[in-house]
Amino acid sequence: LLNNLVKVQGLLDPGKILEKLNVSVLDRMNNGMEEMKDGCDMGLCVYYPSSNKLLFAGAMLGLHTFLEEKITIIPSTRKSIGSKIPLIKFETTEIQPKPNQTFYIFSDGFPDQFGMVSGKKLKRKRLLHLISEIKEDSLDAQKEMLNDFFLNWKGSNEQTDDVSLIGVKFQSSEN
């Protein structure tokens, strides 16, 4: 459905893509498919390098950005794809990324993971604190540190959900 919306229909506005995706999923569900017990949380970004414009829309997933010591959360619409409401409006936010600004988006699987030692969930606040401590490192190094941290946190506990985390760093024009 997503490929059709972007590649065939040519939609490039993330909010419009999520709106049409939600309607398409609901249409499929109403045509004999089983009822979804969970919705699909997702975030979409479209970047235009020529104008340095980043467009973002999310369904239950916000976009987190770090610039210097400040963290900003670009909020999402508080509904999932597949929600029973067919005409949800997903807001598109336009951002002008600055040099050395880093953006992160992650599924709930990382912060919802139970820790072996504490028995408690990691939580978003702890994950963002970890990211703030390693944000100056290369993205490759961050990937390794986040993966190691997650595996150590989880220990022998069963993984509770899918885990996705994406980071993108905008370089200065000289890089």
Side-chain angles (χ1 to χ4, degrees):
L1 293 173
L2 185 58
N3 280 336
N4 179 56
L5 291 170
V6 175
K7 292 180 178 180
V8 176
Q9 295 183 34
L11 290 177
L12 294 175
D13 180 297
K16 299 290 181 215
I17 294 168
L18 292 178
E19 288 169 15
K20 292 209 179 263
L21 186 61
N22 187 56
V23 170
S24 296
V25 166
L26 290 174
D27 285 347
R28 289 241 174 138
M29 286 172 39
N30 290 331
N31 287 331
M33 290 183 65
E34 285 187 34
E35 183 177 339
M36 283 177 45
K37 291 179 179 49
D38 288 321
C40 176
D41 300 347
M42 66 187 311
L44 292 176
C45 292
V46 175
Y47 180 62
Y48 295 93
S50 61
S51 60
N52 190 40
K53 180 169 63 171
L54 178 69
L55 301 178
F56 167 76
M60 295 297 289
L61 289 184
L63 184 65
H64 303 78
T65 179
F66 287 87
L67 184 61
E68 297 166 1
E69 295 305 312
K70 185 179 177 197
I71 180 173
T72 304
I73 301 170
I74 296 117
S76 66
T77 300
R78 301 300 301 161
K79 297 289 182 197
S80 295
I81 299 299
S83 295
K84 302 247 187 269
I85 305 164
L87 300 176
I88 297 171
K89 178 147 178 57
F90 290 93
E91 295 291 327
T92 297
T93 302
E94 183 176 320
I95 307 153
Q96 296 286 147
K98 295 177 177 48
N100 298 315
Q101 188 170 12
T102 309
F103 293 85
Y104 298 90
I105 192 165
F106 47 85
S107 67
D108 59 355
F110 205 124
D112 284 354
Q113 179 62 48
F114 289 95
M116 184 177 77
V117 175
S118 69
K120 296 180 181 179
K121 289 183 178 182
L122 178 70
K123 303 270 186 178
R124 188 172 67 110
K125 183 177 180 179
R126 188 176 287 129
L127 175 58
L128 290 174
H129 178 74
L130 172 61
I131 292 171
S132 73
E133 289 182 340
I134 64 174
K135 69 183 183 310
E136 298 303 322
D137 293 314
S138 73
L139 291 178
D140 286 336
Q142 289 182 45
K143 175 184 172 184
E144 293 300 318
M145 287 184 263
L146 287 163
N147 188 56
D148 290 346
F149 178 87
F150 181 82
L151 293 174
N152 287 331
W153 175 266
K154 180 177 82 67
S156 60
N157 284 343
E158 186 174 320
Q159 186 170 318
T160 55
D161 202 353
D162 63 291
V163 175
S164 299
L165 189 149
I166 298 170
V168 176
K169 185 171 189 170
F170 286 83
Q171 300 295 318
S172 63
S173 56
E174 316 61 80
N175 291 340

